Amino acid sequence: MKKETMNINKTNYHIHTYRCKHAAGDAADYCSAAEKAGLEAIGISDHTPLPDGKWGSVRMDIDELPDYCEKIEDARNEFAGRLEVYAGMECEYFPRYEKFYNDTLREEFGIEYLAIALHFYPLGGEEISTHAYPMDKDALKSYTDLFVEGIKTGMFEFAAHPDLFLARYPSWDSYAEKCSERICNAATDSGTALEINGYGFCRDDFSGYPSDNFWRIAASCGAKGVINSDAHCPEHIDIGFQRCLELAERLGISLADPVRRAAKPS
Protein backbone atom coordinates (compact mmCIF):
# COMPACT_ATOMS: atom_id res chain seq x y z
CA MET A 1 0.00 0.00 0.00
CA LYS A 2 1.28 3.47 -0.89
CA LYS A 3 2.27 5.58 2.09
CA GLU A 4 0.00 8.57 2.65
CA THR A 5 1.45 11.99 1.94
CA MET A 6 1.78 14.51 4.77
CA ASN A 7 -0.89 17.14 5.15
CA ILE A 8 -0.29 20.47 3.46
CA ASN A 9 1.86 22.94 5.38
CA LYS A 10 -0.50 25.53 6.91
CA THR A 11 1.95 28.11 8.26
CA ASN A 12 4.76 30.36 7.01
CA TYR A 13 6.85 32.38 9.44
CA HIS A 14 9.62 33.60 7.12
CA ILE A 15 8.34 36.48 5.00
CA HIS A 16 10.04 39.68 3.83
CA THR A 17 8.64 43.09 2.92
CA TYR A 18 9.84 45.78 0.56
CA ARG A 19 11.67 47.46 3.45
CA CYS A 20 14.66 45.08 3.24
CA LYS A 21 15.42 46.53 -0.22
CA HIS A 22 15.43 43.16 -1.99
CA ALA A 23 11.80 42.06 -1.63
CA ALA A 24 8.35 43.26 -2.68
CA GLY A 25 5.02 43.67 -0.93
CA ASP A 26 3.84 44.50 2.57
CA ALA A 27 2.02 42.62 5.31
CA ALA A 28 -1.47 42.88 3.80
CA ASP A 29 -0.22 41.65 0.41
CA TYR A 30 1.20 38.51 1.98
CA CYS A 31 -1.96 37.98 4.01
CA SER A 32 -4.04 38.04 0.85
CA ALA A 33 -1.72 35.54 -0.80
CA ALA A 34 -1.72 33.32 2.31
CA GLU A 35 -5.50 33.28 2.48
CA LYS A 36 -5.72 32.25 -1.17
CA ALA A 37 -3.15 29.50 -0.56
CA GLY A 38 -5.16 28.09 2.34
CA LEU A 39 -2.69 28.94 5.10
CA GLU A 40 -3.86 29.31 8.69
CA ALA A 41 -1.08 31.47 10.15
CA ILE A 42 1.78 33.60 8.87
CA GLY A 43 4.48 35.73 10.39
CA ILE A 44 6.13 38.74 8.81
CA SER A 45 9.84 38.45 9.59
CA ASP A 46 11.82 40.98 7.64
CA HIS A 47 15.57 41.45 8.07
CA THR A 48 15.87 43.40 11.29
CA PRO A 49 17.34 46.87 11.34
CA LEU A 50 20.43 47.14 13.52
CA PRO A 51 21.21 49.93 15.97
CA ASP A 52 24.61 50.59 14.40
CA GLY A 53 23.24 50.65 10.83
CA LYS A 54 25.36 47.63 9.85
CA TRP A 55 24.63 46.01 6.47
CA GLY A 56 21.98 48.62 5.75
CA SER A 57 21.75 47.81 2.05
CA VAL A 58 19.94 44.52 2.79
CA ARG A 59 17.64 45.43 5.68
CA MET A 60 15.15 48.03 6.78
CA ASP A 61 16.26 51.30 8.32
CA ILE A 62 15.66 51.61 12.04
CA ASP A 63 13.24 54.51 11.59
CA GLU A 64 10.99 52.16 9.59
CA LEU A 65 10.28 49.98 12.63
CA PRO A 66 7.12 51.81 13.76
CA ASP A 67 5.53 51.60 10.31
CA TYR A 68 6.54 47.94 9.97
CA CYS A 69 4.77 47.09 13.21
CA GLU A 70 1.78 49.25 12.36
CA LYS A 71 1.25 47.57 8.99
CA ILE A 72 1.42 44.13 10.59
CA GLU A 73 -1.15 45.17 13.17
CA ASP A 74 -3.39 46.62 10.46
CA ALA A 75 -3.19 43.34 8.55
CA ARG A 76 -3.91 41.37 11.71
CA ASN A 77 -7.08 43.37 12.23
CA GLU A 78 -8.13 43.19 8.58
CA PHE A 79 -7.77 39.41 8.42
CA ALA A 80 -9.00 38.65 11.93
CA GLY A 81 -10.98 35.42 12.05
CA ARG A 82 -9.56 34.30 8.72
CA LEU A 83 -5.79 34.24 9.23
CA GLU A 84 -3.48 34.45 12.24
CA VAL A 85 -0.83 37.13 11.73
CA TYR A 86 2.33 37.39 13.83
CA ALA A 87 5.08 40.01 14.04
CA GLY A 88 8.61 38.67 13.75
CA MET A 89 12.15 39.54 12.72
CA GLU A 90 14.95 37.64 11.02
CA CYS A 91 18.07 38.47 13.03
CA GLU A 92 21.78 38.31 12.43
CA TYR A 93 23.41 36.92 15.55
CA PHE A 94 26.29 38.74 17.13
CA PRO A 95 26.36 39.10 20.93
CA ARG A 96 26.48 42.88 20.67
CA TYR A 97 22.89 42.90 19.37
CA GLU A 98 21.26 40.81 22.10
CA LYS A 99 20.15 43.81 24.15
CA PHE A 100 18.61 45.46 21.09
CA TYR A 101 16.72 42.29 20.20
CA ASN A 102 15.34 41.86 23.71
CA ASP A 103 14.79 45.46 24.80
CA THR A 104 13.88 47.21 21.55
CA LEU A 105 12.34 44.56 19.32
CA ARG A 106 10.55 42.43 21.89
CA GLU A 107 9.83 44.84 24.72
CA GLU A 108 9.42 48.24 23.03
CA PHE A 109 7.91 47.18 19.70
CA GLY A 110 6.18 43.96 20.73
CA ILE A 111 7.87 41.70 18.18
CA GLU A 112 6.49 38.25 18.98
CA TYR A 113 9.19 35.99 17.63
CA LEU A 114 12.77 36.11 16.42
CA ALA A 115 14.52 33.88 13.90
CA ILE A 116 18.29 33.56 13.97
CA ALA A 117 19.99 33.61 10.57
CA LEU A 118 23.63 33.94 9.64
CA HIS A 119 24.18 35.96 6.49
CA PHE A 120 27.44 37.27 8.00
CA TYR A 121 30.10 35.70 10.21
CA PRO A 122 33.53 36.72 11.52
CA LEU A 123 36.68 35.66 9.73
CA GLY A 124 40.18 37.13 9.75
CA GLY A 125 39.12 40.16 11.76
CA GLU A 126 36.25 41.00 9.41
CA GLU A 127 32.56 40.13 9.21
CA ILE A 128 31.97 38.67 5.80
CA SER A 129 28.91 37.68 3.79
CA THR A 130 27.83 34.06 3.66
CA HIS A 131 26.56 34.75 0.15
CA ALA A 132 29.65 36.40 -1.23
CA TYR A 133 32.58 34.07 -0.64
CA PRO A 134 33.33 30.34 -0.90
CA MET A 135 33.80 28.65 2.48
CA ASP A 136 36.79 26.61 3.56
CA LYS A 137 37.05 24.75 6.87
CA ASP A 138 38.15 27.83 8.80
CA ALA A 139 35.16 29.78 7.50
CA LEU A 140 32.76 26.93 8.25
CA LYS A 141 34.13 26.65 11.79
CA SER A 142 33.54 30.35 12.38
CA TYR A 143 30.02 30.14 10.93
CA THR A 144 29.23 27.11 13.07
CA ASP A 145 30.72 28.56 16.26
CA LEU A 146 28.61 31.70 15.91
CA PHE A 147 25.44 29.85 14.95
CA VAL A 148 25.74 27.45 17.89
CA GLU A 149 26.41 30.34 20.27
CA GLY A 150 23.31 32.14 19.07
CA ILE A 151 21.06 29.09 19.20
CA LYS A 152 22.21 28.31 22.73
CA THR A 153 21.03 31.71 23.97
CA GLY A 154 17.44 30.48 23.67
CA MET A 155 16.45 33.91 22.28
CA PHE A 156 15.19 32.60 18.96
CA GLU A 157 12.07 30.61 18.11
CA PHE A 158 13.69 29.03 15.07
CA ALA A 159 16.91 29.00 13.07
CA ALA A 160 16.42 30.10 9.47
CA HIS A 161 18.10 28.08 6.69
CA PRO A 162 20.65 26.45 9.02
CA ASP A 163 22.16 24.54 6.10
CA LEU A 164 22.75 27.71 4.05
CA PHE A 165 26.49 27.15 4.34
CA LEU A 166 26.21 24.27 1.87
CA ALA A 167 25.63 26.81 -0.90
CA ARG A 168 29.23 27.98 -0.42
CA TYR A 169 31.07 25.00 1.08
CA PRO A 170 32.61 22.99 -1.78
CA SER A 171 31.19 19.53 -1.02
CA TRP A 172 29.75 17.40 1.74
CA ASP A 173 32.56 15.89 3.80
CA SER A 174 33.31 14.74 7.34
CA TYR A 175 33.87 18.33 8.49
CA ALA A 176 30.50 19.49 7.13
CA GLU A 177 29.00 16.52 8.95
CA LYS A 178 30.69 17.47 12.22
CA CYS A 179 29.55 21.09 11.96
CA SER A 180 26.01 20.04 11.09
CA GLU A 181 25.94 17.80 14.16
CA ARG A 182 26.95 20.74 16.35
CA ILE A 183 24.18 22.93 14.94
CA CYS A 184 21.53 20.24 15.21
CA ASN A 185 22.50 19.22 18.73
CA ALA A 186 22.41 22.86 19.87
CA ALA A 187 18.91 23.19 18.41
CA THR A 188 17.72 20.00 20.09
CA ASP A 189 19.20 20.95 23.46
CA SER A 190 17.70 24.46 23.40
CA GLY A 191 14.34 23.49 21.89
CA THR A 192 14.96 25.71 18.86
CA ALA A 193 13.28 24.56 15.63
CA LEU A 194 15.34 24.33 12.45
CA GLU A 195 13.85 25.74 9.27
CA ILE A 196 13.40 23.67 6.11
CA ASN A 197 13.62 26.53 3.64
CA GLY A 198 11.39 26.27 0.57
CA TYR A 199 13.11 29.12 -1.26
CA GLY A 200 16.38 27.20 -1.23
CA PHE A 201 14.81 24.47 -3.36
CA CYS A 202 13.81 27.00 -6.01
CA ARG A 203 16.90 29.17 -6.38
CA ASP A 204 19.25 28.87 -9.32
CA ASP A 205 21.61 31.60 -8.10
CA PHE A 206 22.50 30.24 -4.66
CA SER A 207 21.56 26.57 -4.45
CA GLY A 208 22.71 23.74 -2.19
CA TYR A 209 20.11 23.81 0.57
CA PRO A 210 17.94 22.25 1.92
CA SER A 211 20.34 19.32 2.03
CA ASP A 212 19.37 15.71 2.67
CA ASN A 213 22.78 15.21 4.29
CA PHE A 214 22.12 17.95 6.84
CA TRP A 215 18.55 16.89 7.53
CA ARG A 216 19.46 13.25 8.09
CA ILE A 217 21.66 14.50 10.92
CA ALA A 218 18.84 16.73 12.22
CA ALA A 219 16.54 13.72 12.31
CA SER A 220 19.10 11.57 14.12
CA CYS A 221 19.64 14.35 16.68
CA GLY A 222 15.91 14.66 17.31
CA ALA A 223 15.77 18.27 16.12
CA LYS A 224 12.36 19.69 15.22
CA GLY A 225 11.74 21.24 11.82
CA VAL A 226 9.54 24.09 10.67
CA ILE A 227 8.68 24.66 7.00
CA ASN A 228 8.82 28.22 5.70
CA SER A 229 9.09 29.70 2.22
CA ASP A 230 11.43 32.66 2.88
CA ALA A 231 9.08 34.65 0.65
CA HIS A 232 10.45 37.76 -1.00
CA CYS A 233 7.25 38.45 -2.92
CA PRO A 234 3.61 37.50 -2.25
CA GLU A 235 3.64 34.99 -5.12
CA HIS A 236 6.18 32.95 -3.12
CA ILE A 237 3.97 32.55 -0.07
CA ASP A 238 4.19 28.74 -0.31
CA ILE A 239 7.09 28.24 -2.69
CA GLY A 240 8.87 24.93 -2.23
CA PHE A 241 6.43 23.67 0.40
CA GLN A 242 5.74 20.35 -1.29
CA ARG A 243 9.41 19.50 -1.58
CA CYS A 244 9.96 20.49 2.06
CA LEU A 245 7.13 18.21 3.14
CA GLU A 246 8.51 15.37 1.06
CA LEU A 247 11.96 15.83 2.62
CA ALA A 248 10.52 15.83 6.13
CA GLU A 249 8.47 12.73 5.45
CA ARG A 250 11.29 10.86 3.71
CA LEU A 251 13.88 11.54 6.42
CA GLY A 252 11.61 11.37 9.45
CA ILE A 253 11.77 15.03 10.51
CA SER A 254 9.21 15.89 13.18
CA LEU A 255 7.60 19.26 12.45
CA ALA A 256 6.89 21.91 15.06
CA ASP A 257 4.98 25.21 15.24
CA PRO A 258 7.41 27.36 17.23
CA VAL A 259 5.63 30.69 16.70
CA ARG A 260 2.16 29.68 17.82
CA ARG A 261 3.79 27.96 20.78
CA ALA A 262 5.59 31.14 21.81
CA ALA A 263 3.16 33.93 20.92
CA LYS A 264 -0.51 34.65 20.79
CA PRO A 265 -1.95 37.40 18.57
CA SER A 266 -3.81 40.13 20.40
Side-chain angles (χ1 to χ4, degrees), residues 18-19 26 62-74 109:
Y18 72 90
R19 295 173 187 82
D26 210 344
I62 200 161
D63 60 7
E64 293 180 288
L65 257 176
D67 183 66
Y68 175 76
C69 294
E70 180 181 338
K71 292 302 190 295
I72 294 173
E73 186 63 24
D74 288 347
F109 284 94

Side-chain angles (χ1 to χ4, degrees), residues 9-10 17 21 37 41 54 57 67 100 108 151 168 182 210 212 240:
N9 194 62
K10 294 286 189 178
T17 76
K21 307 178 182 73
K54 192 85 170 178
S57 64
D67 183 66
F100 174 76
E108 182 179 349
I151 289 170
R168 285 293 178 257
R182 290 182 60 204
D212 275 20

Side-chain angles (χ1 to χ4, degrees), residues 241-252:
F241 273 14
Q242 189 57 43
R243 291 186 66 181
C244 291
L245 284 163
E246 289 168 357
L247 180 150
E249 183 177 48
R250 184 175 70 253
L251 301 181

Side-chain angles (χ1 to χ4, degrees), residues 6-28:
M6 279 186 176
N7 291 330
I8 186 172
N9 194 62
K10 294 286 189 178
T11 62
N12 186 4
Y13 302 124
H14 191 166
I15 293 171
H16 296 283
T17 76
Y18 72 90
R19 295 173 187 82
C20 72
K21 307 178 182 73
H22 59 279
D26 210 344

Side-chain angles (χ1 to χ4, degrees), residues 157-168:
E157 275 65 43
F158 66 88
H161 40 62
D163 47 350
L164 179 72
F165 69 88
L166 290 166
R168 285 293 178 257

Side-chain angles (χ1 to χ4, degrees), residues 3 9 39 88 118 136 170 192:
K3 190 175 181 181
N9 194 62
L39 302 189
L118 292 196
D136 59 14
T192 305

Side-chain angles (χ1 to χ4, degrees), residues 211-249:
S211 161
D212 275 20
N213 288 319
F214 178 92
W215 287 100
R216 284 192 187 95
I217 291 172
S220 69
C221 292
K224 301 292 186 182
V226 58
I227 293 173
N228 295 315
S229 79
D230 196 356
H232 284 70
C233 62
E235 294 76 16
H236 287 176
I237 193 66
D238 57 357
I239 193 170
F241 273 14
Q242 189 57 43
R243 291 186 66 181
C244 291
L245 284 163
E246 289 168 357
L247 180 150
E249 183 177 48

